Amino acid sequence: MMKKVKGIGFILSILAVFLLAACRGSDDDSTEENGETNYSEAVDHTIIGIEPGAGISVATENALEEYDNLDGWDVELSSTGAMMSELGTAIDNEEPIVITGWNPHWMFALYPDMKYLEDPQEVYGGEETLNSLARLGLEDDNPDAYQFIDQFEWEVEDMEEIMYEAEESGENIEDVAVQWVEDNQDRVDAWAEGVNDGNGAEIELASTPWDSERASSNVMKAAMEQHGFEVTVTEVDVAVVFESVASGDVDATLAAWLPLTHSEFYEANQDDFEDLGPNLEGAKIGLVVPEYMDIDSIEDLEAD
């Protein structure tokens, strides 16, 4: 009889261990609801962003105000490199992540299975262009440089090709841009059509310190230097890009994201520079997630 009691006690002890483990498993799976992942809890109600003050960073801070379902969310602002590192780790482990994303960027070449979340409130706007801006008086002072910059245009895929090659090879974007110019001479010839030799004329371009703008500025530098200009690219904060062109401290920039991303800086200085129009069309910004996340809209995220 005693042996039977001990046997029953042992079985009950085993059952208790399984029940306790099940309860703990239920706590650990708090991000699961009805078998579906609660992505908002899984990412700790946090959007991974880039540098403070960047146009997309400002837009994302606005999104937290405009979307009621983003109440209690935070945007983690640090750097583009830090964001890409976290994205890579999440994708390697097939974990949820919400980031600030934009085209052109090499992230979409490296991780093609990414998607923008729909933006019903249009906080991020629609498609954007990258416009060239010139200081007032450049056309009179150096009509050939002005014409070269005015005729510059290329595609999203061109810019992403340069950024991706630089990332994969470890080469500087400046060097990759020089090679791209050599490999795409027909494009350069089109930009230079009707332009006389620069005869050593010095031209300064303002650029933001982001790979997209480094690509365009250094392609322009290499192309113009083929035609006798001496070109300097100066990297500054985005606000200073607009201020420096407006003040005439630099000759031009290729880095104006419009109509939304840089609207604040554009509107503050628009009477003091000349807008030469788009040099690239089809740019876009917004919140981006991996395809394996079963959500399609910012409104699919949940408040904290």
Side-chain angles (χ1 to χ4, degrees), residues 47 59-73 117-125 287 296-304:
I47 298 163
T60 301
E61 290 170 335
N62 291 339
L64 299 187
E65 298 293 328
E66 294 295 326
Y67 282 94
D68 292 339
N69 59 297
L70 294 184
D71 183 44
W73 279 69
L117 294 180
E118 296 171 6
D119 175 23
Q121 300 284 353
E122 297 187 346
V123 173
Y124 293 98
L287 296 185
D296 298 303
S297 170
I298 294 175
E299 292 184 337
D300 291 335
L301 301 172
E302 299 177 9
D304 187 0

Side-chain angles (χ1 to χ4, degrees), residues 103-110 154-169 171-173 176-177 179-184 187 211-212 215 219 280:
N103 289 97
H105 194 277
W106 56 267
M107 73 175 79
F108 292 96
L110 184 59
W154 62 342
E155 306 295 331
V156 167
E157 293 76 15
D158 299 326
M159 184 183 278
E160 289 183 339
E161 176 186 341
I162 290 173
M163 291 188 287
Y164 184 62
E165 174 63 25
E167 178 63 24
E168 286 292 285
S169 67
E171 294 184 59
N172 292 329
I173 276 194
V176 178
Q179 186 61 52
W180 189 94
V181 166
E182 293 178 359
D183 294 341
N184 292 271
R187 308 283 291 282
D211 287 352
S212 50
V219 161
L280 181 147

Side-chain angles (χ1 to χ4, degrees), residues 10 13 32 50-51 72 93 122 158 168 173 204-205 212 234-235 244 267:
F10 176 75
S13 298
E32 296 284 336
I50 59 169
E51 293 80 0
N93 297 306
E122 297 187 346
D158 299 326
E168 286 292 285
I173 276 194
E204 185 172 1
L205 302 176
S212 50
T234 301
E235 295 184 0
S244 59
E267 291 166 5

Side-chain angles (χ1 to χ4, degrees), residues 226-237:
Q226 274 191 357
H227 289 77
F229 296 93
E230 291 292 330
V231 182
T232 300
V233 176
T234 301
E235 295 184 0
V236 291
D237 179 80

Side-chain angles (χ1 to χ4, degrees), residues 6-80:
K6 286 183 178 179
I8 293 170
F10 176 75
I11 293 170
L12 290 174
S13 298
I14 294 297
L15 288 173
V17 169
F18 279 112
L19 286 171
L20 182 59
C23 290
R24 286 177 178 169
S26 177
D27 290 339
D28 291 342
D29 295 334
S30 59
T31 59
E32 296 284 336
E33 294 181 356
N34 300 321
E36 296 182 359
T37 301
N38 184 321
Y39 293 118
S40 301
E41 290 186 8
V43 301
D44 197 25
H45 298 91
T46 300
I47 298 163
I48 308 301
I50 59 169
E51 293 80 0
I56 194 170
S57 300
V58 174
T60 301
E61 290 170 335
N62 291 339
L64 299 187
E65 298 293 328
E66 294 295 326
Y67 282 94
D68 292 339
N69 59 297
L70 294 184
D71 183 44
W73 279 69
D74 294 311
V75 55
E76 182 180 298
L77 299 176
S78 54
S79 69
T80 303

